[in-house]
Amino acid sequence: MPRPIQATVHTEALRANLARLRRAAGDARVWGVVKADAYGHGIERVYEPFRAVDGFALLDLTEAERVRALGWRGPVLLLEGVFDTRDLELCSRLSLWHTVHCEEQIDMLAVHKTHAPHRVFLKMNSGMNRLGFAPQAFRGAWTRLNALPQVDEITLMTHFSDADTARGIAHQMRVFADATHDLPGERSLSNSAAALRFADDGAVRADWIRPGIALYGGAPDYPTHDIAHWGIAPTSTLSSRIISVQHLVAGDTVGYGSTYTAPAAMRIGLVACGYADGYPRHAPTGTPVLVDGLRTRTLGRVSMDMMAVDLTELSPAGIGAEVTLWGRGPRGSVLPVDEVAHAAGTVSYELLCALAPRVPVLTD
Ligand SMILES: *Cc1c(COP(=O)(O)O)cnc(C)c1O
């Protein structure tokens, strides 16, 4: 029998989440963001349920090739654009749309030979200070691009730093609007958080939304709101089984560093899951976990291949009991990945993307 750890990708949930984002988008078109191998789900696994997107957005040229190899003939957008001149040849060959965020990318385009002009997304740095032209340089970049025979339509794009928090997006909306109000072209602004939280605002939805995490069962603004609030379903489950049971007396400790000390007699189970499977090592004692669909907590340090959970109150559960690290458990139980991420001081994105290659993945 193989080691009992297992990841499951839930096809119907992916489909339902896309429909949910489609409702939030109104008339706007929807990019399915599939970077980082579809947030750890696997591009090939999400392709079918995501066929109703208007396009696939990603970073990696090899991921763009995979989307084309699956037979997708619609739009594919490179969210960071090209990294060198040769990448533009692949863009021409596979008709990839690409972000343009710096002068060097315009220089590359200016010397690129292509039969078909490229559709580009011109990115403004409206306050995130990651990629993009400063607002005062944006018009110059647009004018330069617009004059190139290598360029077809130009979509105006920016990215929000605080769409998931109280600071919000108003300051960036103002910067973007001031610098673009008289420029023609479509607009694309919103990630999942903006698309869900400002779904009633047509200027925020604009022409293309770019949801990622909400498609993959994460609430972009957890813990303010959870997936139930947003009507989003968990799209992946990480499950395993109890492989050992230990009986502790008061004063016994658990795991490396003895970070947990039993205050009284306890029964604990060891789960075949550790940080080498992608479970966060920083998840402290008390991180939620389901055993046979019932909620309990982790104890002590997560080690490479194992972790301990409290079985004291779950009396019949023993070796072989089903453990849900996140996602869907037996009898309709659910442990949102957001809760585990939050307990571990991180976000669902990181846990989903960190699923290790040694974990076998099923689809249902
Ligand atoms: C990753 C990414 C997104 C998706 O963000 P989520 O928070 O996962 O919805 C949107 N736009 C850009 C430019 C991105 O890099």
Side-chain angles (χ1 to χ4, degrees):
M1 182 178 156
R3 193 165 165 261
I5 191 160
Q6 176 77 64
T8 308
V9 169
H10 307 301
T11 308
E12 279 316 309
L14 290 162
R15 211 185 300 280
N17 291 346
L18 174 58
R20 172 69 185 89
L21 270 297
R22 173 75 72 194
R23 283 199 301 283
D27 293 339
R29 276 156 288 163
V30 179
W31 288 112
V33 177
V34 294
K35 63 187 177 187
D37 202 16
Y39 290 49
H41 289 59
I43 286 175
E44 286 74 14
R45 293 185 198 100
V46 304
Y47 177 67
E48 242 345 281
F50 283 178
R51 279 186 80 124
V53 294
D54 297 295
F56 288 99
L58 39 75
L59 311 181
D60 224 356
L61 282 91
T62 56
E63 291 185 344
E65 287 180 301
R66 283 162 64 191
V67 170
R68 286 288 183 238
L70 286 162
W72 178 255
R73 301 179 62 177
V76 174
L77 174 64
L78 298 177
L79 288 165
E80 293 180 350
V82 297
F83 304 99
D84 73 24
T85 320
R86 263 187 326 209
D87 296 344
L88 287 170
E89 288 161 23
L90 192 76
C91 290
S92 292
R93 188 151 51 78
L94 299 181
S95 30
L96 308 180
W97 302 5
H98 48 101
T99 298
V100 172
H101 64 77
C102 62
E103 293 289 349
E104 288 74 5
Q105 288 179 328
I106 306 184
D107 297 341
M108 292 181 212
L109 259 172
V111 297
H112 176 59
K113 294 190 176 53
T114 181
H115 299 297
H118 292 192
R119 177 110 183 227
V120 299
F121 275 50
L122 180 61
K123 187 159 190 182
M124 182 191 297
N125 170 17
S126 59
M128 177 84 157
N129 286 310
R130 229 168 42 168
L131 303 184
F133 291 89
Q136 61 276 17
F138 196 71
R139 182 172 307 270
W142 185 90
T143 306
R144 222 188 132 200
L145 269 180
N146 192 47
L148 292 181
Q150 291 90 342
V151 171
D152 181 20
E153 237 177 282
I154 305 172
T155 299
L156 314 183
M157 173 186 186
T158 197
H159 192 58
F160 296 126
S161 54
D162 298 86
D164 55 330
T165 69
R167 188 174 184 213
I169 62 170
H171 60 296
Q172 286 181 271
M173 286 298 286
R174 204 172 314 115
V175 168
F176 184 78
D178 287 351
T180 60
H181 64 92
D182 57 348
L183 289 177
E186 295 186 336
R187 270 90 170 139
S188 177
L189 315 173
S190 291
N191 55 4
S192 298
L196 290 171
R197 293 183 69 201
F198 306 100
D200 297 335
D201 186 334
V204 179
R205 296 197 303 266
D207 300 293
W208 293 86
I209 65 167
R210 306 188 303 268
I213 193 65
L215 295 174
Y216 302 103
D221 57 352
Y222 189 87
T224 309
H225 297 114
D226 60 12
I227 52 172
H229 171 87
W230 291 121
I232 289 166
T235 58
S236 64
T237 293
L238 181 63
S239 60
S240 188
R241 290 187 186 277
I242 301 285
I243 58 168
S244 166
V245 171
Q246 302 293 341
H247 297 268
L248 310 185
V249 298
D252 280 352
T253 63
V254 177
Y256 286 120
S258 300
T259 61
Y260 182 78
T261 304
M266 292 179 80
R267 208 165 62 92
I268 70 169
L270 277 295
V271 185
C273 176
Y275 62 77
D277 299 300
Y279 193 89
R281 183 175 174 279
H282 295 287
T285 291
T287 301
V289 56
L290 308 180
V291 176
D292 283 339
L294 300 174
R295 217 175 154 93
T296 182
R297 57 180 180 143
T298 66
L299 297 172
R301 275 203 195 134
V302 173
S303 52
M304 184 184 283
D305 312 310
M306 274 175 273
M307 53 195 280
V309 298
D310 192 351
L311 300 180
T312 311
E313 304 293 325
L314 305 179
S315 49
I319 290 182
E322 184 170 347
V323 178
T324 308
L325 287 319
W326 61 72
R328 293 198 207 153
R331 296 180 303 281
S333 57
V334 173
L335 178 59
V337 64
D338 290 313
E339 281 192 47
V340 180
H342 188 68
T346 184
V347 289
S348 57
Y349 302 72
E350 189 178 8
L351 300 197
L352 296 175
C353 293
L355 185 72
R358 81 176 190 184
V359 177
V361 184
L362 279 178
T363 30
D364 71 7

